[in-house]
Amino acid sequence: MDAVQFLQNLLNGISIGSVYAIFALGYTLVFSILGIINFAHGAVFTLGAYLTYSLAVGQFGIGGILADLQIPFQLSFPLSLLIGAILSGVAGVVVERCAFRPLRFRGADPLLALVSSLGVALVTVNVIQYLVGSEIYSFPSDVYGDIRPAFVLHFGEKLVVIRTVQIIIFAVSIVVLALLGYLISWTRIGKALRAVAENASTASLLGINVDRFILYTFFLSGFLGGMAGSLVGTSFGIAGPYFGVAYGLKGLAVIVMGGLGSIPGAVLGGMVIGLAEAFVPADYSAYKEAVAFAFLFVVLLVRPQGLLGRSQIQKV
Amino acid sequence: MEEFLQNYGFLLVTLVQQSLLAMSLYFPLSAGQLSLASPGFYALGGYVAAIMATADYFAPWRDALGWAIFPLEWLIAGLVSALLAFLVGVPALRLRGIYLALATIAFVEILRVVCLNLAITGGAIGIFGIPQLFESRWGYIWIFGPLLVITLIFSYRLDRSRVGRAFKAIREDELAAGAMGINPTHYKVLSFVIGAVLAGIVGAMSAPFLNTWNARQGTFDASISYLAYVLIGGGRSLWGPMLGAVLLASLPELLRPLKDARLIINGMVLVIASIYLPFGIAGALQRLKLSTLKRYASLRGGR
Amino acid sequence: MSVILEAHRLSRSFGGLRAVNAVSFAVEEGEIFGLIGPNGAGKTTLFNLMTGLTPVSSGTFTFRGTQLTGLPPHRIAGLGIGRTFQNIRLFKGLSALENVKISQHTRTVTGLFGGIIGSKTSRLEEIAVEEKGWEILKLVGLADRATEIAANFSYGEQRRLEIARALALDPKVLLLDEPAAGMNAAEKQSLTAFIREVRDLYNLTVVLIEHHVPLVMGLCDRIAVLNFGELIAVGSPEEVQKNPAVIEAYLGAE
Amino acid sequence: TAPIPVGIAVAQTSNVALFGQEQIIGAKIAEKYFNKSGVNGTPIKLVSQDTGGDEAGAINAFQNLINQEKVVGIVGPTLSQQAFSADPIANRLKVPVVGPSNTAKGIPQIGEYIGRVSAPVAKVAPFALKQALKQNPKIKKVAVLYAQNDAFSASETVTFQETVKSMKLEIVTLQKFMTTDTDFTTQATAVLGANVDLAIVSGLAADGGNLVKQLRQLGYKGIIIGGNGFNTANLFPVCGKNCDGILVAQAYSPEANNPVNKAFVDEYRRTYKKDPSQFSAQAFAAVQVFGEGLRRVEAATKKKITQLELSVVRTELNKALRSGSFVTPLGEISLDNEGEINQKTFYVSQIKMDANGKSGKFVIVK
Amino acid sequence: MALLELENLSVSYGAIQAVRSINLEVETGEIVTLIGANGAGKSTTLRAISRLLKVREGRIRFDGRDITTSSPDAVVRSGIAQSPEGRQVLALQTVQDNLELGAYVRHDRAAIREDLARMYTLFPRLEERKHQSAGTLSGGEQQMLAIARALMSRPRLLLLDEPSLGLAPLIVLEIFSIIRNLNAEGTTILLVEQNAKLAMQHSHRTYVLEAGQITFSGPSQELLSDERVLHAYLGG
Ligand SMILES: Nc1ncnc2c1ncn2[C@@H]1O[C@H](COP(=O)(O)OP(=O)(O)OP(=O)(O)O)[C@@H](O)[C@H]1O
Ligand SMILES: Nc1ncnc2c1ncn2[C@@H]1O[C@H](COP(=O)(O)OP(=O)(O)OP(=O)(O)O)[C@@H](O)[C@H]1O
Ligand SMILES: [Mg+2]
Ligand SMILES: [Mg+2]
């Protein structure tokens, strides 16, 4: 591999890795507070993409509310993205209300939340299919405005290409990650969140309103998932109601590799998997699907707690 | 009766088959290990059987053995699964909880992609034209049925034996189990291997049952379904996995009249079942039994 | 009497902290040996080193001449060293009876297939395990609640179940980490009698960590005192009680 | 009189539903079209069962149609893998099956009751290459890309590669991807780096379309041939303007000039405001073949279908399917003794996108 | 009016009734001790006051307000803190984080910092272990942390469940002098103790709980010399 190709792969990997990261963060937030995987996260990802699409471009009857709005600078797209993500956040809250809270209140086996969230995912995906069919929807290429579709850097004969989408994805991801990182590591909220995560009943004994925190977390998680879905959607189109599923699984690989509950871990995991995929030699691209998992497997054997996860030292 | 079997024979056998797969998840879970590797071993076992049944290389064997090739397929599928489970299990079972779950999913996915790319597994199309053991689908009950009975007896006896207690101890507190003289690694790997062997054998039996075998047989989705069977059925009871499999695997078929909406309703049932059966079907039955017993006792003038 | 346990310059550090520092002592067969010292002195850590739950940094530890350092916990338990945990670690979701059945693991041999097909040895073993389980629960006064799950027991009840579970292991040496914590004065008195009784009944050697001074002084044949990871005194209760270093660090002037 | 039930078992749920839904549409139009005269006055009735995306689902749907709905024959299933699983069951019960979209090798050989109206790719694919060489005779270097987890694409690419070699062209890079992929930058940059004049893509609409889009965005200028998976209007929104110029060899073209196709396309456009896809057309053809087959059964036995025993209808129908030809939207077709389709005409079309970049059409080139 | 009033309080775990219709009052400024054998229902009572358990029957009033159905966090905000049985420290958080979380309901930053410093002077051991995760502390150190953490919220009513558990004799004495001092500063205290004699010596009034019911109550000095109490709980 020559230097130019290396650079190209690096850029591709970082861009897709940053989406993996924000998507995975949604998982990791819920995991860190409830200790359980939210299987509906992939469905929220899909939902976010459809919501943003129907706001920004519009079809299936209701949509395009913002599409024909005459606002300068293509403001309607960022607006759609934001509203789409907020609505996804609300969807996250609904998921909590339907699939998590009732179980918590009944003291069910925590693993059961895997099943109930899976049920919500099934409902969401099939309702989308019911309403809008399995067709593919694609964002028009000028959705970001009249920016050139790609930057092409010439290195003699060779070229390195950066697609506009990649830059936007990267920029949005970085902003979101920075905000979230600040929230969790530097505020009282973050500290309380960690307390709830470790032991909800002890946290409530300290005056922390556990239920409200869980609700916030699901909102944030849905927000991030929907945002990631919209970004991927603008980049590659919405490949039907099931398109979040593949990401759902990969997102899991990302957070476990990075270390469950760790925000820098999710970012690192996203980048590692994004890069690993980008650097799969073309001849072996058949095995690309397995790369994320092979990496995960190896990482876990070497560091059972994930790259940045805290090992659970327990004193007896 | 005959008509009923014609209509529902395949479904009934599928329920038995799914129950077995749920059991394969239950064994590691009874030792506290959330392993989702079953579909991997299921796929592996299926490939073993499919290849032995169709590849030219095995033609002389088939001629020599006749129908006896089938039990041999099961045996070899079981052995291969055991071996692989041991190799994967020893390092992987150092992991806990979700970490282990994901490592096993990783294993399933890697295996799937590899099978998708090998010539011997028939690539994406897979292997087809697998020789049949029985004419009708219902006939397969004669192999899946006994296997389920054996597995249930196995699991019932296990639950009340020294090894079963060791599993439970590890599930409750691995460290304390160690301090009480139980070798956690040994029993964790054992539980994992038992599950893998079962899944492998079920796979080997399923290849002729489904007529064809391909890489879509062992997927992440399947892992999650099996987990749902166990949890909805009741993960702490040996009947749980079977009850869950029967309910959840028959549901999409029962909902057929709903056409487009059937998966929506299916999803809702999952949610509602999780909410109203917090300890699974088996747990709910247990409570029912306890409360009727109590009522009975009070009628009889007990305290 | 012969030496059953012997520690030689056992040490363990956590980061910069020397939790146990070059501790050497010997426990005689059949004695009740007390281990006292201020909070954080390293007593529990010493137990963890002896049972293999925490790897030693340096030093050795032998049981009847067999090296224990480096062995995994289940092997050490198999040799006959049973323990209780200061922060109770019962099998919470299982019944009291199951708790005491499980810890008879090393004294039984039934394998996977023996248990499944119900071989004769396995059946006999099963009966014996059950009987012994009941016997021990009776001994600690929990027989009437044998089928209740451990999580439903109150703190003090759980402590008793912990002791029962360690006893069911049929140990030669019993390590008790604050067995009297959470018991009231009357219960403590009966605990003292109980420990003596089981020592005689099962020919045990007992090593005991306890903060309740009267209990320790009344019960132990010899006492070792730890302070900041170091052994500052070993001797009979009277000797230790008079030792100025011990008074200074632990007992306080009356 | 009671209508004659014909089964259709395709994927209406799961991620295969994209095709299944198209197939249902085609089949429904065929039902309506055929029932204008019916089987000498008796209408046929389509009975649909969802197969989902898996093998067990296909078997369940088949069993249901055969035993409960008492259908005379079945159109389905959607995927070749499902066909390998469910077809043997129909075959054993002597129920004729016509596969509307199973193109893998070995399908008709499953048994005497199994046939298909979907031409195997090996027959169709070479036409596109010939057309590409006509457009640019200087083509030397070729890139081949395919979705390796799609059975269809995986076998199609073999045909493409063999044809490329037989034409003395050089495959300089061979790239694989997944139908679930969305990012193809790796593959695209590899193609760009290899400096090829022709790229041949075998994939489905979503992944293939994205691949083309990214290939073009990165600056690829050469000709692109799409495989059969590209033969759908679903492709247009995915690659938008970038779809322009893609060459596709087709077993079906909406522009094909025959009365049945006209009627089909008109009806389809009226309801869905776009051109029908090959999936719809083949499903139409499959239903039509059953309908006309039933007519032939009546002609041969001189009895009404409703008077015959179901098992007799099924066997006779299977015989009828294999005798004589049918004029369908696909043109004139017939099934040989094995059940394999003989199709008279194939098409090569080039995609022309509309100015808005959202819609477009396949224009027959040739 | 009493600061805390339990009126006919009953609590059960499923079918097991652990506390049966008890009446208990704690006046502002008092130290009240609750003693009883293992399984008598002492911890259950405290957990019910902190609203960690559902009340089956009866009322809980704090400062005149009915808190029977409040949420646990609301109870803390209204001024009740508990150092629970089994310590319940947040094992993965550092000692300092545990303490700061103890002050979660407060917003006066400067005062919180002061209190933190005060805890470190009361328990020098904790200062040494400031940045260690709480789960790796020794049993006694965790007990100190649990008590200090409860104090961090500056409660009006402090519930202590066996504070002397696992503490060395010197520290036990210290804990009781801390309790005394806090009380002198105005904190009301409800204390569950196995070390009954010591607890009673340091408290104003005592309740004795037997099998979920209150059997004796009165000024501690009186009960200390009561034959029956002496025999059952004081090892006399
Ligand atoms: N894993 C660990 N990491 C860091 N420090 C530790 C770890 N385990 C123990 N320590 C420290 O080692 C010291 C000794 O702890 P240990 O539990 O042995 O004390 P102890 O004598 O049992 O005290 P107590 O009477 O309070 O139970 C303590 O100060 C504790 O903080
Ligand atoms: N979670 C639970 N489920 C069922 N029963 C319980 C539960 N917790 C406690 N109990 C039972 O309720 C009764 C009272 O328990 P509680 O913990 O209040 O006792 P306690 O007075 O604090 O005893 P100790 O001094 O041993 O801590 C006991 O009989 C106990 O077994
Ligand atoms: Mg200790
Ligand atoms: Mg208590």
Side-chain angles (χ1 to χ4, degrees), chain D residues 105-129:
Chain D
K105 217 165 76 187
I107 298 278
Q109 288 76 21
I110 291 173
E112 52 174 330
Y113 282 81
I114 310 302
R116 65 174 158 195
V117 293
S118 42
V121 274
K123 297 253 172 70
V124 196
F127 291 95
L129 263 164

Short mmCIF file of all heavy atoms in Angstrom, two decimals, chain D residues 105-129:
data_model
loop_
_atom_site.label_atom_id
_atom_site.label_comp_id
_atom_site.label_asym_id
_atom_site.label_seq_id
_atom_site.Cartn_x
_atom_site.Cartn_y
_atom_site.Cartn_z
N LYS D 105 -28.39 -21.82 -10.31
CA LYS D 105 -28.27 -23.07 -11.03
C LYS D 105 -28.94 -24.17 -10.21
O LYS D 105 -28.84 -24.19 -9.00
CB LYS D 105 -26.79 -23.40 -11.21
CG LYS D 105 -26.48 -24.04 -12.55
CD LYS D 105 -24.98 -24.01 -12.82
CE LYS D 105 -24.26 -25.06 -12.00
NZ LYS D 105 -22.80 -24.93 -12.12
N GLY D 106 -29.63 -25.06 -10.87
CA GLY D 106 -30.15 -26.23 -10.16
C GLY D 106 -31.59 -26.14 -9.72
O GLY D 106 -32.11 -27.10 -9.17
N ILE D 107 -32.25 -25.02 -9.93
CA ILE D 107 -33.64 -24.90 -9.47
C ILE D 107 -34.59 -25.84 -10.23
O ILE D 107 -35.29 -26.65 -9.61
CB ILE D 107 -34.14 -23.43 -9.55
CG1 ILE D 107 -33.31 -22.53 -8.66
CG2 ILE D 107 -35.63 -23.34 -9.22
CD1 ILE D 107 -33.69 -22.51 -7.21
N PRO D 108 -34.60 -25.79 -11.57
CA PRO D 108 -35.56 -26.67 -12.25
C PRO D 108 -35.24 -28.13 -12.02
O PRO D 108 -36.13 -28.99 -12.09
CB PRO D 108 -35.36 -26.32 -13.73
CG PRO D 108 -34.65 -25.02 -13.76
CD PRO D 108 -33.83 -24.98 -12.52
N GLN D 109 -33.99 -28.42 -11.71
CA GLN D 109 -33.59 -29.81 -11.50
C GLN D 109 -34.07 -30.36 -10.15
O GLN D 109 -33.91 -31.56 -9.88
CB GLN D 109 -32.06 -29.94 -11.59
CG GLN D 109 -31.50 -29.78 -12.99
CD GLN D 109 -31.47 -28.33 -13.45
OE1 GLN D 109 -31.51 -27.41 -12.64
NE2 GLN D 109 -31.45 -28.12 -14.77
N ILE D 110 -34.66 -29.53 -9.32
CA ILE D 110 -35.14 -30.02 -8.03
C ILE D 110 -36.16 -31.13 -8.25
O ILE D 110 -36.22 -32.09 -7.51
CB ILE D 110 -35.77 -28.86 -7.21
CG1 ILE D 110 -34.68 -27.90 -6.76
CG2 ILE D 110 -36.50 -29.42 -5.98
CD1 ILE D 110 -35.19 -26.65 -6.08
N GLY D 111 -36.96 -30.99 -9.30
CA GLY D 111 -37.92 -32.06 -9.56
C GLY D 111 -38.81 -31.74 -10.73
O GLY D 111 -38.78 -30.63 -11.27
N GLU D 112 -39.65 -32.69 -11.07
CA GLU D 112 -40.42 -32.52 -12.31
C GLU D 112 -41.53 -31.50 -12.16
O GLU D 112 -42.09 -31.05 -13.14
CB GLU D 112 -40.97 -33.87 -12.79
CG GLU D 112 -41.73 -34.61 -11.72
CD GLU D 112 -42.38 -35.87 -12.29
OE1 GLU D 112 -42.72 -35.84 -13.48
OE2 GLU D 112 -42.55 -36.84 -11.53
N TYR D 113 -41.87 -31.15 -10.95
CA TYR D 113 -42.94 -30.17 -10.77
C TYR D 113 -42.42 -28.75 -10.61
O TYR D 113 -43.17 -27.84 -10.33
CB TYR D 113 -43.81 -30.56 -9.56
CG TYR D 113 -44.78 -31.66 -9.90
CD1 TYR D 113 -44.38 -32.99 -9.92
CD2 TYR D 113 -46.09 -31.36 -10.26
CE1 TYR D 113 -45.25 -34.00 -10.28
CE2 TYR D 113 -46.98 -32.36 -10.62
CZ TYR D 113 -46.55 -33.68 -10.63
OH TYR D 113 -47.42 -34.65 -10.99
N ILE D 114 -41.11 -28.60 -10.72
CA ILE D 114 -40.52 -27.28 -10.47
C ILE D 114 -40.09 -26.62 -11.77
O ILE D 114 -39.35 -27.22 -12.56
CB ILE D 114 -39.28 -27.39 -9.54
CG1 ILE D 114 -39.60 -28.23 -8.31
CG2 ILE D 114 -38.78 -26.01 -9.16
CD1 ILE D 114 -40.75 -27.71 -7.48
N GLY D 115 -40.55 -25.42 -12.00
CA GLY D 115 -40.12 -24.67 -13.16
C GLY D 115 -39.87 -23.23 -12.78
O GLY D 115 -40.01 -22.85 -11.62
N ARG D 116 -39.45 -22.44 -13.76
CA ARG D 116 -39.27 -21.02 -13.46
C ARG D 116 -39.44 -20.17 -14.70
O ARG D 116 -39.30 -20.67 -15.81
CB ARG D 116 -37.90 -20.78 -12.83
CG ARG D 116 -36.74 -21.08 -13.76
CD ARG D 116 -35.42 -20.68 -13.11
NE ARG D 116 -34.28 -21.37 -13.68
CZ ARG D 116 -33.08 -21.42 -13.10
NH1 ARG D 116 -32.89 -20.84 -11.93
NH2 ARG D 116 -32.08 -22.04 -13.67
N VAL D 117 -39.77 -18.91 -14.49
CA VAL D 117 -39.88 -17.99 -15.62
C VAL D 117 -38.77 -16.94 -15.55
O VAL D 117 -38.78 -15.98 -16.29
CB VAL D 117 -41.24 -17.27 -15.64
CG1 VAL D 117 -42.36 -18.27 -15.93
CG2 VAL D 117 -41.48 -16.53 -14.35
N SER D 118 -37.82 -17.14 -14.63
CA SER D 118 -36.71 -16.20 -14.50
C SER D 118 -35.50 -16.83 -15.19
O SER D 118 -35.00 -17.84 -14.73
CB SER D 118 -36.43 -15.95 -13.03
OG SER D 118 -36.51 -17.16 -12.31
N ALA D 119 -35.09 -16.21 -16.26
CA ALA D 119 -33.97 -16.76 -17.01
C ALA D 119 -32.71 -16.71 -16.17
O ALA D 119 -32.47 -15.70 -15.50
CB ALA D 119 -33.76 -15.97 -18.30
N PRO D 120 -31.93 -17.79 -16.15
CA PRO D 120 -30.68 -17.74 -15.38
C PRO D 120 -29.77 -16.69 -15.98
O PRO D 120 -29.78 -16.47 -17.19
CB PRO D 120 -30.12 -19.14 -15.53
CG PRO D 120 -30.79 -19.70 -16.74
CD PRO D 120 -32.12 -19.05 -16.83
N VAL D 121 -29.02 -16.05 -15.10
CA VAL D 121 -28.19 -14.94 -15.53
C VAL D 121 -27.26 -15.30 -16.66
O VAL D 121 -26.97 -14.47 -17.51
CB VAL D 121 -27.36 -14.43 -14.35
CG1 VAL D 121 -28.16 -13.44 -13.60
CG2 VAL D 121 -26.91 -15.57 -13.48
N ALA D 122 -26.78 -16.52 -16.67
CA ALA D 122 -25.81 -16.91 -17.69
C ALA D 122 -26.34 -16.60 -19.07
O ALA D 122 -25.59 -16.31 -19.99
CB ALA D 122 -25.49 -18.39 -17.56
N LYS D 123 -27.64 -16.64 -19.22
CA LYS D 123 -28.23 -16.38 -20.53
C LYS D 123 -28.25 -14.89 -20.84
O LYS D 123 -28.10 -14.48 -21.98
CB LYS D 123 -29.67 -16.91 -20.54
CG LYS D 123 -29.79 -18.40 -20.36
CD LYS D 123 -30.19 -19.03 -21.69
CE LYS D 123 -30.13 -20.55 -21.62
NZ LYS D 123 -31.19 -21.10 -20.77
N VAL D 124 -28.49 -14.09 -19.79
CA VAL D 124 -28.78 -12.67 -20.02
C VAL D 124 -27.52 -11.82 -20.06
O VAL D 124 -27.35 -10.97 -20.94
CB VAL D 124 -29.70 -12.13 -18.91
CG1 VAL D 124 -30.31 -10.81 -19.32
CG2 VAL D 124 -30.79 -13.14 -18.58
N ALA D 125 -26.65 -12.08 -19.11
CA ALA D 125 -25.54 -11.18 -18.85
C ALA D 125 -24.67 -10.83 -20.07
O ALA D 125 -24.33 -9.66 -20.26
CB ALA D 125 -24.68 -11.74 -17.73
N PRO D 126 -24.30 -11.80 -20.92
CA PRO D 126 -23.34 -11.48 -21.97
C PRO D 126 -23.80 -10.36 -22.91
O PRO D 126 -22.95 -9.63 -23.44
CB PRO D 126 -23.24 -12.80 -22.75
CG PRO D 126 -23.60 -13.85 -21.75
CD PRO D 126 -24.64 -13.23 -20.89
N PHE D 127 -25.09 -10.16 -23.03
CA PHE D 127 -25.56 -9.14 -23.96
C PHE D 127 -25.05 -7.75 -23.59
O PHE D 127 -24.73 -6.96 -24.45
CB PHE D 127 -27.10 -9.14 -24.00
CG PHE D 127 -27.66 -10.36 -24.66
CD1 PHE D 127 -28.05 -11.46 -23.90
CD2 PHE D 127 -27.78 -10.43 -26.05
CE1 PHE D 127 -28.56 -12.59 -24.50
CE2 PHE D 127 -28.29 -11.58 -26.66
CZ PHE D 127 -28.68 -12.66 -25.88
N ALA D 128 -24.97 -7.48 -22.33
CA ALA D 128 -24.55 -6.15 -21.89
C ALA D 128 -23.11 -5.88 -22.28
O ALA D 128 -22.75 -4.78 -22.70
CB ALA D 128 -24.71 -6.02 -20.37
N LEU D 129 -22.29 -6.91 -22.16
CA LEU D 129 -20.88 -6.73 -22.50
C LEU D 129 -20.71 -6.42 -23.98
O LEU D 129 -19.91 -5.56 -24.36
CB LEU D 129 -20.12 -8.01 -22.16
CG LEU D 129 -19.43 -7.98 -20.81
CD1 LEU D 129 -19.05 -9.36 -20.37
CD2 LEU D 129 -18.19 -7.10 -20.93
#
